[in-house]
C-alpha cells in the first residue's frame, strides 16, 4: 500500500476509533487523527505478527479492522497517559 493511502487509512481509522471510543482524550481532532495513523501502524504490525494479516490492500476489510483496532489501542493508552498527567497538576 502506498504512503498516501496509508495516511488516509490511518486518518479514517482514527476518526472511526474516536467515534467508537468517545471521551475526553486531550489534543482534539488533530491529535486523534495522528494517533489514528500511529494506531494503523500498530494494528498492521500486530496483525502481521499475531494473525499474519498485514496492511496490504486499501480496500480489504482485514486491513481496516486491524487499523481500527490499533487506533483504539493507541487511543486507550493515550487516554490513560493524559488522564494521569492531568491528575497530578
Amino acid at each position: 500500500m502506498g504512503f498516501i493511502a496509508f495516511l488516509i487509512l490511518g486518518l479514517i481509522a482514527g476518526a472511526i476509533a474516536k467515534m467508537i471510543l468517545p471521551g475526553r482524550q486531550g489534543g482534539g481532532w488533530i491529535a486523534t487523527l495522528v494517533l489514528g495513523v500511529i494506531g494503523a501502524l500498530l494494528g498492521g504490525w500486530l496483525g502481521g505478527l499475531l494473525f499474519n494479516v498485514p496492511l496490504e490492500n486499501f480496500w480489504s476489510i482485514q486491513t481496516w479492522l486491524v487499523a481500527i483496532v490499533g487506533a483504539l489501542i493507541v487511543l486507550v493508552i493515550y487516554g490513560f497517559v493524559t488522564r494521569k498527567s492531568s491528575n497530578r497538576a
Side-chain angles (χ1 to χ4, degrees), residues 61-73:
I61 189 70
Q62 295 171 336
T63 298
W64 283 93
L65 289 176
V66 297
I68 292 169
V69 168
L72 283 169
I73 291 169

Side-chain angles (χ1 to χ4, degrees), residues 5-23 25-43 55 58 63-76 78:
F6 183 77
L7 284 178
I8 292 170
L9 171 71
L11 295 175
I12 295 171
I16 291 171
K18 182 66 175 178
M19 286 190 286
I20 292 171
L21 187 69
Q25 295 97 356
W29 66 273
I30 293 175
T32 300
L33 296 178
V34 170
L35 291 173
V37 173
I38 295 169
L41 277 170
L42 176 69
L55 293 174
F58 185 79
T63 298
W64 283 93
L65 289 176
V66 297
I68 292 169
V69 168
L72 283 169
I73 291 169
V74 170
L75 277 177
V76 167
Y78 183 72

